[in-house]
């Protein structure tokens, strides 16, 4: 059985860094893992490991933009359309991997996950090839700095989940930049974590999104006059109701400086993919020797 994990999320969420750490962790555990690059705009130094399969060998965003006069967004859409038209190339590339973990690093344009049918079509093609798939969606901890920005991230994750229709895990990345234990001993903000100091209870309200953060929060942002507009608050109430009616999104915290944190995320991915459940148990080599000889 082959397994594919689609690593999705907005630009800057740490997808490529997570892919590298994920692959390193699996290889340390003596599990076969390979990175698949689906970003036609990736630069040469984007990966610590050379991707086993690279869409840039088929098409690059730079070539599409220069030869067809497209912008970056239109060029990216064209690249994925071209990939779907040449699925035989991808099938041939995947043919050499068996019982392996494929970590698929996706582009940072979230409209590919929330609006376009390219990734759902790609997933269906992989499933047809007998590859068991799931997806993770990374949202960086900086989104907790602004509750409006955070809930836009929650809605984008929800939209991507509905669009791709595969087993799904949401991850709050870069948690090493957030302190779970705020301290009042230091008044210098430059000495604290970049994305702010938050109590554990406060962090928990973001990992399992609490709609009341949007409805009733008082953190100083409401001083802006446009946010006192009644229509703005009506929209907020509608979003709160949507999240309460469809509580699909919760986040696993990811701190890549902690092996335990990465291990928790990997174990959730394994469970989601049902990793290893189809494998046959291995018989010990010495079953017919020594104390086990009379069992035959």
């Amino acid at each position: 059985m082959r397994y594919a994990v689609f690593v999705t999320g907005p630009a800057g969420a740490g997808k490529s860094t997570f892919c590298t750490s994920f692959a390193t962790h699996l290889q340390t555990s003596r599990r076969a893992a390979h990175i698949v690059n689906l970003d036609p705009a990736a630069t040469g130094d984007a990966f610590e490991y050379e991707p086993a399969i690279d869409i840039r060998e088929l098409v690059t965003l730079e070539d599409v933009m220069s030869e067809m006069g497209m912008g970056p967004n239109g060029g990216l859409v064209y690249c994925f359309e071209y990939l779907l038209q040449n699925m035989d190339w991808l099938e041939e590339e995947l043919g050499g991997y068996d019982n392996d973990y494929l970590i698929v690093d996706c582009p940072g344009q979230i409209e590919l996950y929330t609006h376009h049918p390219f990734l759902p079509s790609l997933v269906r093609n992989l499933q047809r090839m007998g590859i068991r798939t799931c997806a993770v969606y990374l949202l960086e901890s900086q989104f907790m700095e602004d509750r409006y920005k955070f809930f836009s991230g929650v809605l984008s994750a929800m939209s991507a989940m509905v669009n791709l229709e595969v087993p799904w895990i949401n991850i709050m990345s870069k948690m090493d930049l957030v302190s779970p234990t705020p301290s009042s001993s230091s008044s210098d903000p430059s000495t604290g974590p970049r994305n702010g100091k938050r109590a554990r209870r406060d962090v928990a309200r973001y990992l399992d999104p609490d709609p009341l953060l949007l409805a009733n929060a008082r953190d100083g942002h409401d001083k802006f006059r446009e946010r006192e507009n009644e229509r703005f608050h009506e929209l907020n109430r509608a979003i709160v109701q949507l999240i309460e009616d469809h509580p699909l999104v919760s986040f696993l915290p990811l701190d890549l400086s902690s092996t335990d944190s990465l291990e928790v995320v990997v174990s959730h991915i394994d469970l989601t993919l049902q990793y290893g459940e189809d494998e046959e148990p291995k018989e010990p080599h010495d079953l017919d020797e020594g104390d086990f000889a009379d069992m035959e």
Side-chain angles (χ1 to χ4, degrees):
M1 176 62 70
R2 290 178 292 180
Y3 305 88
V5 181
F6 283 80
V7 181
T8 67
K15 295 185 296 297
S16 296
T17 303
F18 171 69
C19 288
T20 298
S21 299
F22 190 7
T24 300
H25 182 84
L26 293 179
Q27 291 170 1
T28 302
S29 304
R30 297 184 179 180
R31 293 163 60 178
H34 310 280
I35 293 178
V36 178
N37 174 42
L38 279 190
D39 186 358
T43 57
D45 58 351
F47 305 98
E48 183 174 329
Y49 296 112
E50 187 70 21
I53 301 173
D54 196 337
I55 191 177
R56 294 174 298 178
E57 296 178 2
L58 177 69
V59 61
T60 66
L61 180 61
E62 182 179 3
D63 290 342
V64 170
M65 292 175 62
S66 62
E67 294 178 13
M68 306 193 68
M70 292 184 172
N73 291 333
L76 192 63
V77 169
Y78 178 88
C79 288
F80 271 86
E81 289 178 340
Y82 189 77
L83 173 62
L84 291 177
Q85 293 169 2
N86 293 272
M87 279 302 299
D88 54 337
W89 171 84
L90 184 58
E91 290 186 22
E92 182 179 350
E93 291 290 317
L94 291 170
Y97 299 99
D98 191 22
N99 295 323
D100 291 352
Y101 230 107
L102 302 173
I103 304 171
V104 186
D105 190 3
C106 298
Q109 281 75 6
I110 61 173
E111 60 268 21
L112 291 175
Y113 321 127
T114 60
H115 296 82
H116 292 294
F118 307 132
L119 281 183
S121 298
L122 180 59
V123 166
R124 286 192 294 270
N125 276 283
L126 295 186
Q127 292 172 340
R128 178 180 53 81
M129 297 166 58
I131 300 176
R132 190 172 291 172
T133 61
C134 81
V136 298
Y137 189 92
L138 271 65
L139 196 70
E140 67 169 309
S141 59
Q142 179 195 1
F143 277 64
M144 291 193 294
E145 287 298 285
D146 186 322
R147 64 183 184 273
Y148 301 106
K149 183 178 180 180
F150 171 74
F151 278 98
S152 71
V154 170
L155 292 177
S156 67
M158 185 184 298
S159 178
M161 292 171 69
V162 172
N163 190 35
L164 263 69
E165 297 183 323
V166 294
W168 194 274
I169 296 175
N170 295 299
I171 297 174
M172 185 70 70
S173 63
K174 304 183 183 180
M175 288 299 291
D176 52 311
L177 302 180
V178 178
S179 170
T181 53
S183 171
S184 59
S185 59
S186 176
S187 58
D188 184 4
S190 64
T191 63
R194 192 184 73 187
N195 289 344
K197 297 180 179 181
R198 296 185 177 276
R200 292 185 185 275
R201 183 176 61 181
D202 192 23
V203 170
R205 296 182 71 190
Y206 286 91
L207 298 180
D208 189 10
D210 181 359
L212 294 181
L213 285 170
L214 187 61
N216 300 325
R218 294 289 184 267
D219 60 5
H221 288 284
D222 291 337
K223 64 184 178 180
F224 296 106
R225 182 175 301 174
E226 64 271 19
R227 291 183 174 173
E228 295 298 334
N229 187 293
E230 182 60 27
R231 291 185 178 180
F232 178 80
H233 292 295
E234 287 180 1
L235 175 61
N236 285 347
R237 286 191 288 270
I239 293 174
V240 167
Q241 189 63 48
L242 174 66
I243 295 173
E244 287 184 332
D245 291 344
H246 305 281
L248 302 176
V249 180
S250 61
F251 294 92
L252 286 175
L254 175 63
D255 176 359
L256 287 179
S257 66
S258 167
T259 304
D260 291 340
S261 177
L262 180 59
E263 177 62 38
V264 168
V265 171
V266 172
S267 65
H268 276 76
I269 295 174
D270 282 346
L271 182 63
T272 301
L273 283 172
Q274 298 178 317
Y275 176 78
E277 290 193 5
D278 295 332
E279 294 185 8
E280 294 293 331
K282 295 182 179 180
E283 185 176 290
H285 293 299
D286 59 350
L287 187 60
D288 57 347
E289 300 176 2
D291 294 338
F292 298 100
D294 56 355
M295 293 180 60
E296 297 181 355

